[in-house]
Amino acid sequence: MRNIYLLTKNYLISGLGGLRGKRSRVKGTLGFGVIVLLYVALFALLTYCQMLFTKGYADTGLTALVLGTGYVMGIFLTVCFAFQTITGGQRANDTELLLAMPIKKSEIMVAKALSRYLLNLIIVILTIVPSIVAFMAYTPFSGVALIGNVVTVLMIPLLTVGLSYIIDFITTLCLPNFKYGNVVKAIFTISLLIALVFVYEYLMFNLDPIIMLRTVNYLLAFNPWFMLTLIGGAVAIFALGVGLFTILMNREARTYATKTVKFVSKKTTPFCSLLKNETNRYLNSTVLMINTLLGPIAIVAFSIWLLFDPFNPLLETLGLDNNGLCFIIMALFSGMTILTYPTAFSISLEGKQFWILKSMPIKQTTVLSAKGVFGVLLLSPLMTICSIVLECIKHFDVLYFISLLLVPVAINVIVAFGGVLINLLFPKFNAESDAAVIKQSMSSFIMMLGGMVLVGLLGYLYFELITSSLPIIWALLIPLIIIVLLAVVVVTLTLTLGKRIFKRL
């Protein structure tokens, strides 16, 4: 048990940056404080929104239905997060060292699984507990209902972690390693995520409310058969996933790469060379593509879906016109932007080769600009094209279209260059694998939570201004001006303050 405790503690500390030394401890404490502050702010914002939503159903006695909807949404987001931790068979850097130590393989795997469980539990609390708080606030207190909710919240991470391990095993074993194997594995995993989105949409629009109410009542009444099935199923899937991942622990991650030598007479600039290097790293990392390709694909898929008539009845049901639809599109594009932040770990991914980047005769501003621009190019051109196509089909008002065109792009610039700056402040060069850098580092946590808080506050500002007595032109221009100015400030800080930090690393 002591070995499991020490390994789990080490994984969690490493997940928050792996910082050592007096200065690093201060830096790590500051970063951890920022994460906690952003987490609490986002939890409070989600709880407030859920309270407003539940209040409208309190008089009709359908608060249990709202709770069920919150569970469906929370499980969907947690599974999406868990699927993004799939490695595609990438071998952790610490595997050989751990296996050579007097520690049982089972203890290593339990520690790894437990640390992943705790991280998923944090996501579950953020996405589901606000619905539970809102439900308990508008219904008479019940200790049995509280216990049922707590047990369910504890079981969901077991389910998601087990599923991610099982999918990882299937991906590694069934998809061969060849030249473009990383791309195939990433596309396969993202296809599963897209399929999950369609299942979620189907459940949200087609699930019989009576069935959802009955299921939620089983949970609230702590029905023994329902709870035994939930607990048994979650534990079984978790155990199966850990067992399959144990099989992969000794498996060498083999990749096929052809080496060719060719003479190139065409000259290129340092900026273009660095941008090409970022692109090559992106295409050669399964984990990186899994965590970033979902955004662009979701934007294209949603844009195509909007072009078909089946979406129009939904708009009529919600009482939305074209301008309301424009806000939905802007919110979705902005949401996909804050969930696509490859620059938040672009410095850390340099790893032990970071000294090469520092020693090259290239200006620091050029290096930082190339990393930031890569993040912008990953999404902004695609969002611009989709916005123009939707404008040609839906014919939004000019002011709404300008907001749709500029707000997501401005947020993309903030996320791209802000990610570089955050990663400079909290680098992680000693990670066990790329997956640990991408999903379990301080910079990635700060960017994910910070982006959610930013979009949440921006959405709240839009809501308050549009529902006020201000003319619509000011209600649209004020948030746009704020977000553009913020983008300018973030880019300036990255290229000035970031330059000084880069020299000291």
Side-chain angles (χ1 to χ4, degrees):
M1 289 298 294
R2 177 172 174 77
N3 289 336
I4 294 175
Y5 168 75
L6 292 175
L7 287 172
T8 303
K9 179 181 177 181
N10 178 69
Y11 288 137
L12 292 175
I13 292 176
S14 298
L16 293 176
L19 301 169
R20 296 291 184 268
K22 185 176 181 180
R23 286 185 59 190
S24 296
R25 280 199 299 269
V26 174
K27 200 178 194 180
T29 303
L30 176 63
F32 182 74
V34 171
I35 292 174
V36 172
L37 181 63
L38 291 172
Y39 185 89
V40 172
L42 185 58
F43 181 86
L45 181 63
L46 292 176
T47 303
Y48 173 73
C49 294
Q50 195 64 38
M51 292 282 283
L52 292 178
F53 185 63
T54 307
K55 184 179 180 181
Y57 289 86
D59 296 334
T60 60
L62 294 177
T63 49
L65 185 61
V66 178
L67 178 62
T69 304
Y71 264 109
V72 173
M73 184 179 297
I75 292 172
F76 164 72
L77 294 174
T78 308
V79 172
C80 286
F81 176 83
F83 276 18
Q84 287 184 312
T85 60
I86 292 172
T87 63
Q90 183 189 41
R91 186 182 178 89
N93 298 331
D94 63 348
T95 300
E96 292 183 0
L97 175 63
L98 288 174
L99 291 175
M101 296 176 66
I103 303 175
K104 296 180 181 179
K105 185 190 296 185
S106 59
E107 293 177 332
I108 298 173
M109 289 309 306
V110 168
K112 285 180 176 288
L114 183 58
S115 63
R116 186 176 288 194
Y117 169 84
L118 293 175
L119 290 174
N120 277 264
L121 181 61
I122 292 173
I123 302 299
V124 170
I125 292 173
L126 182 64
T127 55
I128 294 179
V129 171
S131 300
I132 298 175
V133 172
F135 172 81
M136 301 293 285
Y138 288 99
T139 55
F141 176 78
S142 170
V144 174
L146 179 61
I147 294 173
N149 280 301
V150 170
V151 171
T152 305
V153 166
L154 293 176
M155 290 299 107
I156 291 174
L158 289 178
L159 181 66
T160 56
V161 172
L163 283 175
S164 66
Y165 277 141
I166 293 171
I167 298 297
D168 206 354
F169 179 83
I170 295 173
T171 304
T172 305
L173 231 62
C174 297
L175 297 180
N177 292 309
F178 57 96
K179 186 175 181 179
Y180 299 106
N182 291 328
V183 177
V184 174
K185 290 175 181 179
I187 292 175
F188 172 75
T189 304
I190 292 170
S191 299
L192 290 177
L193 285 170
I194 293 174
L196 180 64
V197 171
F198 281 106
V199 171
Y200 169 74
E201 294 296 335
Y202 176 82
L203 288 175
M204 291 299 289
F205 295 127
N206 296 283
L207 184 62
D208 189 348
I210 296 177
I211 297 177
M212 182 179 288
L213 283 172
R214 186 180 302 167
T215 304
V216 173
N217 287 330
Y218 283 152
L219 183 155
L220 297 175
F222 207 80
N223 182 279
W225 294 110
F226 176 81
M227 299 308 297
L228 283 175
T229 303
L230 174 65
I231 296 172
V235 171
I237 292 175
F238 179 78
L240 176 61
V242 172
L244 293 177
F245 196 70
T246 303
I247 297 175
L248 295 179
M249 196 166 183
N250 287 323
R251 182 182 175 88
E252 290 287 343
R254 298 181 295 273
T255 57
Y256 171 80
T258 58
K259 295 183 179 180
T260 58
V261 179
K262 57 183 179 180
F263 297 96
V264 180
S265 58
K266 183 178 179 181
K267 294 183 179 179
T268 184
T269 63
F271 177 83
C272 293
S273 298
L274 290 170
L275 192 59
K276 182 179 179 181
N277 181 64
E278 293 294 320
T279 305
N280 289 335
R281 174 187 291 142
Y282 176 80
L283 295 176
N284 287 312
S285 175
T286 304
V287 181
L288 189 55
M289 284 188 287
I290 290 173
N291 283 270
T292 54
L293 271 180
L294 180 61
I297 292 176
I299 288 172
V300 174
F302 187 74
S303 300
I304 294 174
W305 185 42
L306 288 173
L307 299 177
F308 292 96
D309 290 336
F311 191 76
N312 294 331
L314 177 61
L315 292 177
E316 295 175 0
T317 303
L318 297 175
L320 296 176
D321 55 7
N322 261 6
N323 294 330
L325 173 62
C326 186
F327 271 110
I328 292 178
I329 299 171
M330 187 175 70
L332 178 96
F333 284 7
S334 301
M336 289 300 102
T337 298
I338 64 171
L339 294 178
T340 307
Y341 45 90
T343 58
F345 27 80
S346 58
I347 299 293
S348 298
L349 286 175
E350 299 290 344
K352 296 179 180 179
Q353 284 73 42
F354 180 69
W355 68 272
I356 300 176
L357 189 64
K358 285 192 65 176
S359 62
M360 290 193 302
I362 301 176
K363 295 180 179 179
Q364 289 85 5
T365 52
T366 303
V367 176
L368 301 180
S369 297
K371 291 183 177 295
V373 169
F374 173 77
V376 174
L377 293 178
L378 189 63
L379 273 182
S380 287
L382 185 63
M383 289 191 297
T384 302
I385 293 172
C386 290
S387 299
I388 294 173
V389 171
L390 290 171
E391 165 64 17
C392 294
I393 302 298
K394 298 295 183 180
H395 305 292
F396 304 124
D397 289 349
V398 175
L399 291 175
Y400 287 87
F401 173 63
I402 292 174
S403 297
L404 171 62
L405 202 61
L406 297 182
V407 169
V409 172
I411 293 178
N412 189 18
V413 172
I414 293 173
V415 171
F417 282 87
V420 176
L421 182 60
I422 293 298
N423 199 198
L424 286 169
L425 291 170
F426 304 102
K428 183 177 179 179
F429 296 124
N430 58 343
E432 63 179 54
S433 64
D434 287 354
V437 172
I438 294 169
K439 297 304 298 183
Q440 300 176 19
S441 62
M442 190 171 288
S443 58
S444 62
F445 277 121
I446 291 176
M447 282 307 303
M448 179 179 66
L449 296 174
M452 290 180 180
V453 171
L454 173 64
V455 172
L457 293 176
L458 184 63
Y460 179 75
L461 178 62
Y462 266 113
F463 176 78
E464 288 294 329
L465 292 176
I466 289 177
T467 55
S468 68
S469 58
L470 276 177
I472 191 65
I473 183 172
W474 291 111
L476 293 175
L477 283 181
I478 290 175
L480 177 59
I481 292 172
I482 291 174
I483 202 70
V484 169
L485 289 176
L486 185 58
V488 172
V489 171
V490 170
V491 172
T492 304
L493 286 175
T494 303
L495 299 182
T496 53
L497 177 62
K499 177 182 176 180
R500 293 196 291 269
I501 299 173
F502 185 89
K503 290 179 179 179
R504 294 199 300 264
L505 288 179

